[in-house]
Amino acid sequence: MNKTDLSPIDFGQLVEKRVAVVTGAAKGIGRACARVFGEAGASIALIDIDEDAARATLTELRERGLQAAFFSADVSCAADVSAAVQGILERYGKIDILVNNAGTHDGKGIQEAGEDDWDRIVSTNLKSVFLVSKAALPSLKETGGAIINMGSMVGLVGQGNSGAYSASKGGIVALTKNMALDLAPHRIRVNCICPGWVETPLVNEWFALQPDEAGARDYVNSIHPLGRIAAADEIGKVALFLASDLASFVTGVAIAVDGGVSLGY
């Protein structure tokens, strides 16, 4: 489709015949992004270090009749990333879309965190964006592709007890803007999604650890003006929009997808 073509679009085929790479694709938001992109016509390359969970996601996608393949990698390791991207190019021949979603959280402020904690969080969340984007760039330059980085509302408004996490997510927002400027001459758009609370295994584990799980859920729902937290697919749909021609003139933005929770944070 020509970038200026405003003719009607088949929403079920927004990214048909494109290849979408999703990091941290085994669970949560990454798994939802893979499913949403697959249902919109893309072939999906799943990247994750958790092989068992990733293969379960791969099975789910294929049972839905979607095109998908799994590539095991530690996205904080340049050699792993290079091998995964090479495997993707050998299988699919190109990369049109990159969703840098891999991330982790430890709930520690700088008083509690050690150097190893800092390095693990920043490497997984922020360094991975650099490594995977750089490895995918030669193909993205050829396709005029799109990069979607997964930030967090924490990167916009901050959060207690999350020093490395807050720094990594704030860094993703800033890096997104830098990449958008540097890569625009290559027709590559780069944007960032900043989710709030999302129904994921990680969030459900946190709820389960609270003394009053039901009360904790009620409270978290109550602080969202929309009265609930997000379903993971709702984040995936925003990623799909940003990757598609519907967002052909959108680059360098950090979109809060948080049900309004950061408005009164």
Side-chain angles (χ1 to χ4, degrees):
M1 176 182 288
N2 186 288
K3 297 297 184 182
T4 59
D5 184 355
L6 299 181
S7 58
I9 294 173
D10 181 350
F11 282 76
Q13 300 297 319
L14 275 178
V15 288
E16 186 177 20
K17 296 182 181 179
R18 300 183 196 181
V19 176
V21 177
V22 182
T23 71
K27 301 176 183 177
I29 292 173
R31 186 174 192 167
C33 286
R35 183 169 54 244
V36 169
F37 276 83
E39 290 175 346
S43 296
I44 310 301
L46 312 169
I47 295 181
D48 208 290
I49 197 171
D50 186 339
E51 294 196 14
D52 290 341
R55 293 193 186 283
T57 296
L58 180 63
T59 297
E60 177 199 327
L61 297 177
R62 288 180 171 174
E63 287 176 348
R64 291 170 175 260
L66 307 179
Q67 298 296 316
F70 166 55
F71 301 85
S72 179
D74 175 353
V75 290
S76 68
C77 171
D80 273 20
V81 168
S82 178
V85 169
Q86 183 60 36
I88 291 166
L89 293 175
E90 288 174 359
R91 182 180 182 95
Y92 292 116
K94 64 172 183 171
I95 296 172
D96 299 284
I97 299 161
L98 170 59
V99 182
N100 283 308
N101 169 74
T104 189
H105 194 318
D106 66 359
K108 295 180 181 179
I110 63 168
Q111 297 180 89
E112 299 80 22
E115 184 176 358
D116 289 345
D117 297 317
W118 178 275
D119 288 345
R120 179 175 60 85
I121 298 292
V122 172
S123 292
T124 302
N125 296 4
L126 180 58
K127 181 183 177 183
S128 66
V129 176
F130 159 66
L131 290 178
V132 182
S133 298
K134 187 174 181 67
L137 268 181
S139 185
L140 288 168
K141 287 179 179 179
E142 292 179 0
T143 59
I147 300 174
I148 297 94
N149 297 325
M150 201 61 64
S152 168
M153 62 170 277
V154 171
L156 300 174
V157 299
Q159 184 181 65
N161 300 316
S162 57
Y165 184 78
S166 296
S168 69
K169 293 301 184 177
I172 287 172
V173 172
L175 181 58
T176 295
K177 295 178 183 295
N178 163 257
M179 291 168 64
L181 288 169
D182 287 352
L183 301 181
H186 302 288
R187 301 178 297 115
I188 299 172
R189 296 182 299 103
V190 188
N191 292 292
C192 178
I193 298 175
C194 295
W197 289 79
V198 182
E199 191 84 26
T200 66
L202 186 64
V203 167
N204 286 331
E205 287 172 13
W206 182 86
F207 279 132
L209 291 172
Q210 305 312 303
D212 179 2
E213 180 177 353
R217 287 183 178 276
D218 289 343
Y219 169 73
V220 170
N221 286 332
S222 74
I223 63 175
H224 292 72
L226 293 182
R228 62 177 178 84
I229 66 176
D233 279 12
E234 291 179 297
I235 310 302
K237 290 173 183 176
V238 177
L240 175 62
F241 162 73
L242 290 173
S244 76
D245 292 336
L246 292 174
S248 58
F249 205 60
V250 180
T251 196
V253 302
I255 299 179
V257 187
D258 64 5
V261 68
S262 61
L263 296 175
Y265 192 73

